Amino acid sequence: MKHLVIYAHPNAQSLNGHLKQVVVEHLNKNGHQVKVRDLYKQNFNPVLSLEDMEGQRKGQVYEDVKIEQDYIDWADVITFIYPIWWTGLPAIMKGYIDRVFSYGFAYRYDQGVQKGLLVGKQTVIINTHGKSHTEYCDLGIDKALRLTSDKGIYIYCGLDVKQHFFFDKADKANSETIEQWITQIKNLFSK
């Protein structure tokens, strides 16, 4: 299968960076084709401009956006790896979604009815966050994240959410916990 990994963390040595490396190595080892888009490393411009918006309405996008859309077209499975900051996506990932998941590419409206255009592709989302699962559940943040990202972005665009991992207390995780997370990731990608 063709796997696209879209990664957003400024520190390549971070836990997110480690998880990205695990995913890439595991997929390569199992004979999959893998391409990685490291948004910080490539200095992706996350700012949706007026020109972007006007171009999207005409079916025209900037070259940097077209490149990313070509990667998405190529992929069977898209894996997003990023931390949860301030109960949401890092700004660079949000800007990636704003610019790349554009009208006419990722979704459109047919007679007023929204239609996702990325049907037939699976997605896996790997998130780390500092709070515990209990805190997220007590505050309703777990449900809010699934609603705003899974339903509001990925499913909205037609993607089939295969799995959404939320790895909690990531800033305090010990090696045993991290190994359990790695096992979960590898098991999912081995199915």
Side-chain angles (χ1 to χ4, degrees):
M1 292 186 82
K2 296 180 285 189
H3 286 262
L4 177 64
V5 177
I6 303 172
Y7 167 74
H9 198 289
N11 181 357
Q13 304 306 312
S14 68
L15 174 58
N16 284 262
H18 179 61
L19 296 176
K20 172 188 60 101
Q21 207 51 42
V22 164
V23 168
V24 169
E25 288 173 5
H26 181 74
L27 291 171
N28 280 327
K29 180 180 167 191
N30 287 284
H32 297 282
Q33 297 176 54
V34 183
K35 295 183 180 181
V36 177
R37 305 306 291 156
D38 183 333
L39 302 185
Y40 281 95
K41 190 175 178 180
Q42 68 193 63
N43 198 27
F44 182 80
N45 175 10
V47 179
L48 179 68
S49 68
L50 178 58
E51 292 80 15
D52 279 313
M53 293 172 73
E54 290 172 346
Q56 289 176 0
R57 286 189 208 112
K58 299 174 191 169
Q60 302 167 344
V61 293
Y62 282 105
E63 185 62 25
D64 64 332
V65 170
K66 178 70 173 116
I67 289 168
E68 300 308 315
Q69 290 177 343
D70 288 346
Y71 280 108
I72 291 168
D73 279 339
W74 169 84
D76 299 313
V77 180
I78 304 165
T79 299
F80 294 88
I81 302 174
Y82 57 88
I84 299 296
W85 290 339
W86 290 103
T87 67
L89 292 72
I92 199 166
M93 182 64 79
K94 177 62 170 73
Y96 182 92
I97 299 296
D98 288 346
R99 294 189 67 220
V100 176
F101 282 48
S102 60
Y103 182 84
F105 171 75
Y107 70 99
R108 73 169 182 253
Y109 294 99
D110 289 338
Q111 299 177 338
V113 178
Q114 181 276 332
K115 180 178 182 179
L117 300 177
L118 301 179
V119 175
K121 296 179 183 297
Q122 294 182 336
T123 190
V124 174
I125 305 104
I126 300 172
N127 291 146
T128 60
H129 58 85
K131 291 197 177 288
S132 69
H133 284 301
T134 301
E135 288 175 279
Y136 265 30
C137 291
D138 289 348
L139 296 169
I141 294 172
D142 60 330
K143 290 180 183 76
L145 285 169
R146 289 190 191 280
L147 177 64
T148 57
S149 66
D150 292 12
K151 289 187 180 179
I153 299 170
Y154 307 118
I155 294 170
Y156 186 88
C157 293
L159 294 169
D160 174 23
V161 177
K162 186 173 180 180
Q163 180 75 45
H164 191 157
F165 292 107
F166 291 100
F167 296 134
D168 70 332
K169 298 190 276 185
D171 54 334
K172 298 173 185 72
N174 60 32
S175 58
E176 181 180 318
T177 299
I178 293 169
E179 282 305 312
Q180 290 172 358
W181 295 342
I182 289 170
T183 299
Q184 290 176 45
I185 292 168
K186 286 180 176 180
N187 286 342
L188 175 70
F189 285 116
S190 294
K191 291 180 182 175

